[in-house]
Amino acid sequence: YNEEGKEIWRKDRLPGIPYSVQRLENGNTLVACKDQQQVIEILPSGELKSVQVQGHPMYAQRLENGNTLIALQQASKVIEVDAKNEQVWEARNMNGPCYCQRLDNGNTLIVQMHTGQVVEVDPTGKQIWTSRVPLVNPMCAQRLPNGNTLIADNNGVTEVDAAGQQVKWRHAQNNVTGVSHF
């Protein structure tokens, strides 16, 4: 949709339900289809490039280096694959990862749905930060420029500080599935 609300692009008959969508700089669209175990790239012409990814890909993000970061819910890990679909990095022992974000410092923010936590892991996969507030089925998180983290879960949106504690505000709303800052 454009700024006036007019539909300007659509792709029907995907191989499965889209769980995440990212418009790429080249005009292609990256889509994670969890139930079909596929990450697809849709060209502006509508042509699909599909890659099988075992472990239920809930979220896929194209990184600046051209690789793709993928949260694999049932495989309990987040992986990074290169253009040849070769795995070049992973964070293991995640509990139901459903969202991930590569941070500017090279670390990765991961939402763990099954444990109700958001964690940050370093390039070796070691956990170096965790949210310390009670979360119910978190789905998404964004690191803010001030170092705090915005988290969406079934109870609303919470901002937590660098110590993992809730800051002064929380927006209560049922079933929030995403957050974004501009």
Side-chain angles (χ1 to χ4, degrees), residues 96-181:
C98 61
Y99 177 86
C100 51
Q101 176 191 20
R102 182 63 46 83
L103 303 173
D104 290 340
N105 63 7
N107 293 343
T108 304
L109 194 65
I110 301 170
V111 176
Q112 297 184 98
M113 183 188 313
H114 296 155
T115 59
Q117 289 184 310
V118 177
V119 299
E120 180 179 343
V121 299
D122 67 15
T124 69
K126 179 183 175 192
Q127 184 176 312
I128 60 167
W129 180 86
T130 186
S131 59
R132 303 206 183 284
V133 296
L135 299 168
V136 178
N137 200 27
M139 295 295 292
C140 187
Q142 289 283 311
R143 182 63 47 85
L144 301 172
N146 67 1
N148 289 350
T149 304
L150 205 57
I151 303 170
D153 75 347
N154 275 356
N155 291 330
V157 178
T158 303
E159 185 176 342
V160 299
D161 61 21
Q165 301 297 326
Q166 181 176 325
V167 296
K168 293 182 182 180
W169 75 272
R170 173 178 172 70
H171 176 74
Q173 182 174 333
N174 290 336
N175 302 316
V176 178
T177 59
V179 293
S180 183
H181 76 280

Side-chain angles (χ1 to χ4, degrees), residues 36-51:
Q36 298 302 316
Q37 314 242 22
Q38 292 182 37
V39 173
I40 61 172
E41 192 166 332
I42 306 167
L43 283 63
S45 66
E47 179 187 348
L48 297 179
K49 294 180 182 179
S50 177
V51 175

Side-chain angles (χ1 to χ4, degrees), residues 5-103:
K6 180 182 175 196
E7 183 178 291
I8 57 171
W9 183 84
R10 169 189 294 260
K11 177 63 179 165
D12 294 324
R13 294 187 286 282
L14 294 172
I17 297 169
Y19 278 78
S20 75
V21 177
Q22 178 190 14
R23 178 60 52 90
L24 305 176
E25 288 184 19
N26 65 3
N28 293 353
T29 305
L30 188 68
V31 181
C33 295
K34 177 188 100 158
D35 298 331
Q36 298 302 316
Q37 314 242 22
Q38 292 182 37
V39 173
I40 61 172
E41 192 166 332
I42 306 167
L43 283 63
S45 66
E47 179 187 348
L48 297 179
K49 294 180 182 179
S50 177
V51 175
Q52 287 294 127
V53 184
Q54 298 302 311
H56 286 213
M58 287 283 291
Y59 183 82
Q61 174 191 25
R62 184 65 43 83
L63 302 173
E64 288 181 12
N65 65 7
N67 292 348
T68 304
L69 193 64
I70 306 169
L72 298 172
Q73 185 183 38
Q74 282 191 339
S76 300
K77 63 183 176 179
V78 172
I79 63 171
E80 179 180 341
V81 297
D82 63 17
K84 297 178 184 176
N85 203 36
E86 302 280 329
Q87 184 174 308
V88 297
W89 180 84
E90 74 177 358
R92 296 181 188 189
N93 302 317
M94 299 292 114
N95 291 299
C98 61
Y99 177 86
C100 51
Q101 176 191 20
R102 182 63 46 83
L103 303 173

